[in-house]
Amino acid sequence: QVQLVESGGGLVQPGGSLRLSCAASGSIFSINVMAWYRQAPGKERELVAGITSAGNTNYVDSVKGRFTISRDNAKNTVYLQMSSLKPEDTAVYYCNADVRIVRNSPLDRYWGQGTQVTVSS
């Protein structure tokens, strides 16, 4: 019913920048929270940044001041602008969205496929 398509991952040097995009499509009435998670090898998946439909944001401490999450509600798209990237940012990044497919229906959680971000010189 709902598909999240991610783009923008890749290889970047330390100090560089990347912008991740995630577009939701399908049977969508509304989207509540959209978020980015990441998972490095051997580590738990962690919330990197989240944004509500009203534009309220939160970030994990390690990325504050370097990453910015934003969304375009008209396009059902969430972005993660990443700057001053560090090797420890290397991980698979996953898009997440809580979606209401019809009016007054419960929220269902959807995940993107994941995209690799590698920060290395």
Side-chain angles (χ1 to χ4, degrees):
Q1 292 182 324
V2 177
Q3 184 179 16
L4 274 55
V5 179
E6 299 160 313
S7 62
L11 175 65
V12 66
Q13 294 182 331
S17 299
L18 285 174
R19 189 176 81 154
L20 305 182
S21 300
C22 174
S25 62
S27 300
I28 299 172
F29 177 79
S30 63
I31 302 176
N32 191 4
V33 174
M34 302 187 81
W36 290 96
Y37 288 73
R38 68 185 180 187
Q39 188 167 22
K43 296 184 178 180
E44 297 180 356
R45 185 176 299 187
E46 68 171 349
L47 174 66
V48 178
I51 183 168
T52 70
S53 60
N56 298 311
T57 61
N58 64 84
Y59 301 88
V60 67
D61 286 344
S62 61
V63 309
K64 288 181 178 178
R66 300 188 298 118
F67 291 11
T68 301
I69 188 170
S70 61
R71 63 191 286 172
D72 185 337
N73 291 331
K75 297 180 178 179
N76 290 328
T77 299
V78 63
Y79 306 93
L80 186 67
Q81 178 66 50
M82 304 183 291
S83 62
S84 301
L85 283 162
K86 304 175 181 179
E88 49 263 46
D89 295 317
T90 296
V92 178
Y93 284 70
Y94 297 90
C95 176
N96 169 266
D98 291 332
V99 179
R100 202 184 309 277
I101 62 172
V102 298
R103 188 182 184 189
N104 296 324
S105 71
L107 291 167
D108 292 322
R109 173 163 288 184
Y110 293 88
W111 293 89
Q113 184 77 10
T115 185
Q116 178 71 46
V117 172
T118 302
V119 184
S120 176
S121 60

